[in-house]
Amino acid sequence: MAGAKPLVSWAFDCDPLSCLETLGAGQVIFEAKRIAIVGGGPAGLRAAEVCAAAGMKVVLFDAERSVGRKFLVAGKGGLNLTNAEPREIIANRYSGKTSDFWRGVLEVFDSGDLREWALELGFETFATKSGRVYLKDLKAAGLLRRWVARLREIGVVFQTNHRLVDLKPGGPFQLVFENGARTEADAVILALGGGSWPETGSDGRWFPLFEKLGLATRPLAPANCGWEHDWPPEVLQAAEGKPLKNIRVTAGEKSASGELILTRYGLEGGPLYALGSALRTMDAPAISIDLKPAHSVDQLVAKMESVRRSFASDARLRWKLGDAACALLARKEWKDAPSLAREAKNCVITLKGPRPIAEAISSAGGFRWEELTEDLMVKKIPELFVAGEMIDWEAPTGGFLLQACFATGTLAAQTACKFCR
Ligand SMILES: Cc1cc2nc3c(=O)[nH]c(=O)nc-3n(C[C@H](O)[C@H](O)[C@H](O)COP(=O)(O)OP(=O)(O)OC[C@H]3O[C@@H](n4cnc5c(N)ncnc54)[C@H](O)[C@@H]3O)c2cc1C
């Protein structure tokens, strides 16, 4: 049928991609309720799992040629799947909604559930002292492979190379894809991801879908990323790639401890990731670094008692400073120990701005909360549900990102199933 748009099949006794060619326009085959899930990251895959286990017919669409590409990237340096902190503490790690709300989301699927889920797939986890939970296997590829195989076994059909470009609500819901394919569904769960690492498919190109539907979004911004600062050449020469260890970093009212790396473009590391949301609200973003958080100014001065000159070089030994800390302090001449000690406790670095979103670990912004019910149904379009990083929340690294993706994927799927029933 020349020119006819292919219709995505919901009949699962044939290969879905070959069905695209053989079905004519207007043909729809279904009995059970059909849930279309768009986005094959952890949030969408988890939503597919819950819906299929509840007896729904599930087709998962993704723009890329394979699913879980960012999940694989996340697993490269060791997959930090979740965090072993108590649920009440984890709930405080998220922005966008109250911790009560997040506690409720975590009740649906918390870090214990996530670890059990991984174990059921055959993957053990372990927790570090700081609470981060990793796969023993470290990499994500084996887990993803087994997960996708299990989803196929329970009836989930995968339609890759399908970029959603239009959504037409009204019974039944219509979905239109960039390749010309279209389909209908009783409910749709969107889990389109944020905007970092666009090469994985999470490119934030989905905003126009919602503009057309009159649904509010907040522009994406880089989160969990480095910040830029122009270092003088002598600082770079002495300290590029070197760590500032055991420091406390403050931005406005918020502080975070840990380690930063001095890079060619500025600074990178956990404390900056944790302070990103505070920094983004500042007109002139700046941080204060306490290089010796365990010591007061007086204690530092006391350690320099007999020193009469070359304060900065003596401080290296007496205060046990690394190369990067020394390079920061050596940016000025110091005439006495008290002023050097005050600088060590309050080393102010102005920041030009965050690194580009493409490099960030995650993004802030996205689908606005006010468009959603507490159980992740779109208020104006009750057959539409949203999950994962595409919603307007953020969290620091430490396993909190994936935890929220799994938990919101579970919640959105449970709500969609309830709606379909
Ligand atoms: C380098 C790096 C390391 C990370 N490490 C960790 C970690 O250790 N622990 C942790 O908790 N988190 C980590 N994360 C973050 C974590 O990977 C993400 O938060 C998570 O993958 C988001 O899941 P999601 O399902 O919401 O979206 P994504 O995983 O981003 O998936 C979205 C999917 O939607 C598809 N899509 C987008 N638009 C369309 C469209 N229009 N039509 C069809 N499909 C579409 C995309 O192709 C993609 O497959 C890391 C991220 C990065 C970049």
Side-chain angles (χ1 to χ4, degrees):
M1 235 182 11
K5 297 267 193 277
L7 205 92
V8 176
S9 172
W10 290 83
F12 300 142
D13 52 354
C14 60
D15 171 40
L17 284 170
S18 68
C19 284
L20 279 179
E21 282 139 38
T22 53
L23 282 179
Q27 250 183 292
V28 189
I29 306 166
F30 65 93
E31 298 117 23
K33 293 287 182 184
R34 306 152 305 169
I35 300 188
I37 294 169
V38 192
L45 293 170
R46 175 63 193 157
E49 188 163 44
V50 172
C51 293
M56 303 293 156
K57 285 197 162 181
V58 181
V59 176
L60 188 145
F61 299 91
D62 198 286
E64 292 294 313
R65 63 177 195 281
S66 60
V67 295
R69 294 165 87 87
K70 189 180 272 185
F71 189 64
L72 291 178
V73 169
K76 269 201 172 152
L79 186 69
N80 182 190
L81 191 60
T82 180
N83 198 289
E85 285 179 340
R87 196 190 287 164
E88 287 64 35
I89 309 241
I90 296 187
N92 293 326
R93 303 287 181 185
Y94 299 103
S95 69
K97 291 283 270 183
T98 62
S99 38
D100 276 351
F101 167 81
W102 283 108
R103 206 171 303 122
V105 174
L106 293 169
E107 258 164 44
V108 172
F109 197 77
D110 70 7
S111 64
D113 298 322
L114 186 41
R115 293 180 76 172
E116 225 167 86
W117 169 90
L119 194 57
E120 269 172 32
L121 280 174
F123 291 82
E124 279 185 59
T125 54
F126 68 94
T128 63
K129 262 195 212 154
S130 68
R132 287 171 183 247
V133 173
Y134 289 91
L135 280 191
K136 264 200 180 150
D137 213 24
L138 289 178
K139 302 264 189 281
L143 177 79
L144 180 65
R145 213 174 301 121
R146 212 165 291 171
W147 189 10
V148 169
R150 187 168 77 179
L151 291 175
R152 286 190 202 281
E153 276 161 29
I154 61 171
V156 175
V157 172
F158 287 86
Q159 293 278 10
T160 51
N161 291 314
H162 277 64
R163 173 176 292 280
L164 181 71
V165 289
D166 202 7
L167 270 172
K168 294 179 181 154
F173 216 119
Q174 290 182 43
L175 296 91
V176 181
F177 298 92
E178 198 172 52
N179 60 6
R182 60 194 174 80
T183 193
E184 292 178 345
D186 300 299
V188 176
I189 301 175
L190 299 178
L192 304 172
S196 75
W197 284 63
E199 62 271 39
T200 63
S202 327
D203 54 14
R205 277 167 56 198
W206 42 261
F207 276 68
L209 284 172
F210 299 113
E211 272 159 33
K212 218 169 147 194
L213 293 170
L215 297 169
T217 49
R218 191 192 301 279
L220 296 178
N224 290 308
C225 62
W227 282 70
E228 295 183 356
H229 176 82
D230 285 333
W231 298 114
E234 58 280 12
V235 171
L236 276 182
Q237 205 178 0
E240 185 183 349
K242 303 230 166 122
L244 291 160
K245 288 193 173 180
N246 303 319
I247 55 170
R248 184 144 191 87
V249 185
T250 303
E253 305 281 294
K254 282 180 82 181
S255 292
S257 298
E259 178 175 319
L260 291 180
I261 304 288
L262 199 146
T263 64
R264 177 151 290 273
Y265 53 76
L267 288 163
E268 189 79 44
L272 265 184
Y273 301 166
L275 298 173
S277 58
L279 286 167
R280 285 200 312 273
T281 62
M282 293 174 152
D283 291 335
I287 50 170
S288 156
I289 304 180
D290 183 346
L291 295 168
K292 297 301 296 178
H295 294 83
S296 65
V297 169
D298 288 346
Q299 285 169 332
L300 291 176
V301 172
K303 284 178 185 284
M304 298 282 274
E305 206 180 6
S306 55
V307 181
R308 295 287 170 264
R309 57 193 137 97
S310 48
F311 294 96
S313 54
D314 270 69
R316 177 189 284 273
L317 281 178
R318 290 171 186 244
W319 295 350
K320 297 193 174 70
L321 298 175
D323 289 341
C326 289
L328 291 188
L329 293 177
R331 289 176 304 162
K332 284 187 216 158
E333 283 273 321
W334 301 102
K335 301 246 181 300
D336 55 74
S339 33
L340 181 60
R342 280 194 294 276
E343 176 73 6
K345 295 290 292 173
N346 179 27
C347 183
V348 176
I349 315 276
T350 55
L351 299 166
K352 287 200 302 179
R355 291 294 287 167
I357 194 166
E359 275 180 29
I361 289 176
S362 60
S363 55
F367 195 83
R368 300 279 289 247
W369 285 108
E370 50 268 41
E371 300 287 5
L372 287 172
T373 63
E374 296 287 291
D375 47 9
L376 308 184
M377 175 190 270
V378 175
K379 288 178 193 163
K380 290 178 200 150
I381 309 173
E383 60 271 56
L384 182 62
F385 307 82
V386 185
E389 201 183 311
M390 69 176 291
I391 311 176
D392 183 12
W393 56 270
E394 62 181 302
T397 54
F400 305 111
L401 297 162
L402 285 173
Q403 176 61 55
C405 293
F406 275 87
T408 55
T410 305
L411 178 58
Q414 288 179 350
T415 314
C417 291
K418 245 186 259 167
F419 169 83
C420 283
R421 283 196 197 106

